[in-house]
Amino acid sequence: MKLKKRHTGGIKKWEISLAVGVLITIIVAFYANHEQQCLASTLIRLHVVANSDSERDQELKLKVRDRILVETESVLDESESIEVAESKLNEILPKIKSCAEEELKKNYAYYNVSAEICNEWFPKREYETFKLPAGYYKALKVDIGSAEGKNWWCVVFPPLCVAAASDNIHNAATGFGMTDDQAELISNNEINYELRFALVDFIGDIQGMFR
């Protein structure tokens, strides 16, 4: 008695399921990456790096941060777009450098300071009233001395760091170019926004693995 050979041709159900799963993953990843890039296109981060991790150098980093926020807020207050804000920051980079060094000298520290506008990868960051997913952002980067200490991150445009103190994040964000949806994404704690934020942040972390 001859045994019938099982038919092995054609596409199996698991292959279809795998293909559909991969396709959905690609679509979701594309959406999350696009959403992070759209968010990043509306803001400029502030990245201040201390000379070292000593207690004094960390205190100096915060003093320099405060001075930069004051200087940039007055210059960027009427900027209506990230393009205008970036242009103004580029114009005052020498002033930012000199103000930072002046602040250091007031505290009897004589480190050199460098300031530049660049694109950097940032990890997820949570502040008191808003959060930002991991990913690449345009940044005003200020290095103090050897720049081997811990970082300090926030946002110089829109002025979210300043607005955070008054719980006015949504108005600050939308007033400088963010959509209502983007403002909700970074400030809303509802479960649907939390899940959406987590997805965007996950894709940003994946990007960081290959930087």
Side-chain angles (χ1 to χ4, degrees), residues 120-183:
E120 287 192 292
W121 181 86
F122 287 80
K124 173 185 176 181
R125 198 70 179 170
E126 293 192 26
Y127 302 92
E128 290 185 10
T129 55
F130 72 101
K131 55 190 178 295
L132 292 171
Y136 283 93
Y137 294 85
K138 192 177 296 293
L140 166 58
K141 186 170 186 285
V142 179
D143 289 340
I144 302 173
S146 299
E148 296 177 348
K150 292 177 182 176
N151 307 276
W152 187 89
W153 293 290
C154 203
V155 182
V156 72
F157 179 85
L160 301 185
C161 298
V162 177
S166 61
D167 294 330
N168 199 25
I169 292 299
H170 190 278
N171 289 342
T174 55
F176 287 87
M178 280 192 191
T179 64
D180 283 323
D181 197 45
Q182 289 169 337

Side-chain angles (χ1 to χ4, degrees), residues 195-210:
L195 290 173
R196 183 172 144 213
F197 181 92
L199 176 61
V200 176
D201 182 58
F202 174 72
I203 297 301
D205 281 335
I206 295 298
Q207 290 178 331
M209 293 172 63
F210 297 96

